[in-house]
Amino acid sequence: MITDIHCHLEAVEPENIATFIGAGNKIGAVSMTLESAQQLLILKRQYPDAIELFLGVHPEATTDETMIKAVIALIHQHRCLLSGIGEIGVPFFYLDDKTAAEKQQLKRQGAQLMARFVAIAADYNLPVNLHVVEDDIELALPILQQYGVEGALFHWYEGTAIQLARLHQQGHFISVSPWIFVDDHYWQFVQTIPLSMMLVESDAPCQYNGKKGDPSMIVDVVVALAKHHQISVDDLTAVLALNTRKYLRK
């Protein structure tokens, strides 16, 4: 069994969901907006044992206070169905055209929103699934420490050796995506991630070399990682399963 720990499942073709889950695998489904959260709740009821459900508001989604409060209400209402809180974090990619001062302000605002969801995760003793890029760990880590949230997942994270060491020392996890087959710089970074903090993800429907992402892609990711670390696919699958259980607090 392999768990795709970060997937926008409502955007995956139903037959592909059925095939992946039918092979005995699981999917960590993260919401971006109120609409996606509602769609994921339907899928969770369809596959109650195979979907690890995370609800949150993506830091780069177009949103407002009404939507944020509605998603928070869903979290409280459906606590028994949740595996964690996410996708939450700090905005990064849509800030390219902003000035340095604007970026700083928007990141601070994003961090404040992240803190609201982290506080909920702390209250319910749930893990968090984070969108935090490069230097933005400087904003995210103090929030996790403030609320005592340990073992966070930094999805598709890439940074410096020093940043990786900090995340490792603090007991956090990093999930590896099929981007290893697209970007050699990312693949080089992934090779330095300690196996003890590694999970895998598709981030579907994110595209890879023009191909729509799908949970099945993580099978090839596991094969590539096993080859690099010179261990069997079965052994690496066992390591990833253990890491996933630790992350999900099971």
Side-chain angles (χ1 to χ4, degrees):
M1 182 194 76
I2 306 174
T3 300
D4 175 0
I5 201 61
H6 186 102
C7 176
H8 301 279
L9 193 60
E10 77 282 1
V12 175
E13 299 297 332
E15 58 269 25
N16 293 350
I17 298 174
T19 298
F20 186 76
I21 289 176
N25 302 308
K26 292 190 173 185
I27 302 174
V30 296
S31 73
M32 294 185 67
T33 62
L34 174 61
E35 181 181 5
S36 67
Q38 293 167 333
Q39 292 172 322
L40 291 180
L41 282 165
I42 294 172
L43 286 168
K44 172 66 176 177
R45 293 187 179 96
Q46 184 176 355
Y47 298 104
D49 298 324
I51 292 178
E52 306 289 356
L53 179 63
F54 295 78
L55 296 185
V57 173
H58 194 289
E60 315 222 23
T62 300
T63 187
D64 56 26
E65 185 62 20
T66 299
M67 178 193 288
I68 293 166
K69 287 182 177 178
V71 173
I72 289 174
L74 282 182
I75 290 172
H76 292 310
Q77 181 182 354
H78 299 286
R79 163 65 187 91
C80 62
L81 297 178
L82 296 187
S83 293
I85 302 297
E87 181 174 0
I88 60 173
V90 181
F92 182 88
F93 296 106
Y94 82 90
L95 304 181
D96 285 346
D97 62 343
K98 307 296 183 182
T99 66
E102 288 171 334
K103 285 183 180 180
Q104 188 176 25
Q105 179 182 4
L106 289 168
K107 284 180 181 290
R108 282 199 302 265
Q109 292 173 349
Q112 290 170 357
L113 177 58
M114 172 185 161
R116 291 171 66 179
F117 283 98
V118 170
I120 296 169
D123 285 343
Y124 286 132
N125 191 30
L126 289 170
V128 292
N129 205 314
L130 299 178
H131 172 96
V132 175
V133 179
E134 298 174 353
D135 296 343
D136 289 344
I137 63 170
E138 303 300 336
L139 292 169
L141 290 177
I143 294 171
L144 298 176
Q145 293 164 353
Q146 176 185 353
Y147 291 99
V149 173
E150 300 177 348
L153 174 65
F154 287 74
H155 108 89
W156 196 338
Y157 183 80
E158 180 182 0
T160 67
I162 292 175
Q163 290 167 335
L164 175 60
R166 285 185 65 193
L167 295 179
H168 186 217
Q169 290 165 0
Q170 295 185 27
H172 299 303
F173 297 92
I174 295 176
S175 48
V176 177
S177 81
W179 198 246
I180 62 172
F181 302 118
V182 180
D183 188 316
D184 187 62
H185 187 273
Y186 175 64
W187 173 229
Q188 294 301 317
F189 174 78
V190 163
Q191 292 176 35
T192 68
I193 299 174
L195 287 180
S196 62
M197 66 184 300
M198 183 182 292
L199 288 80
V200 288
E201 63 162 291
S202 70
D203 200 20
C206 177
Q207 292 201 352
Y208 303 98
N209 283 330
K211 183 177 181 181
K212 182 179 178 181
D214 183 83
S216 64
M217 289 182 174
I218 66 170
V219 175
D220 289 337
V221 173
V222 173
V223 170
L225 290 168
K227 182 177 180 180
H228 168 72
H229 288 283
Q230 298 183 323
I231 59 177
S232 71
V233 170
D234 286 345
D235 285 346
L236 179 57
T237 299
V239 169
L240 295 172
L242 176 61
N243 293 348
T244 302
R245 288 196 298 273
K246 287 181 178 178
Y247 165 60
L248 294 174
R249 304 175 183 180
K250 293 187 174 182

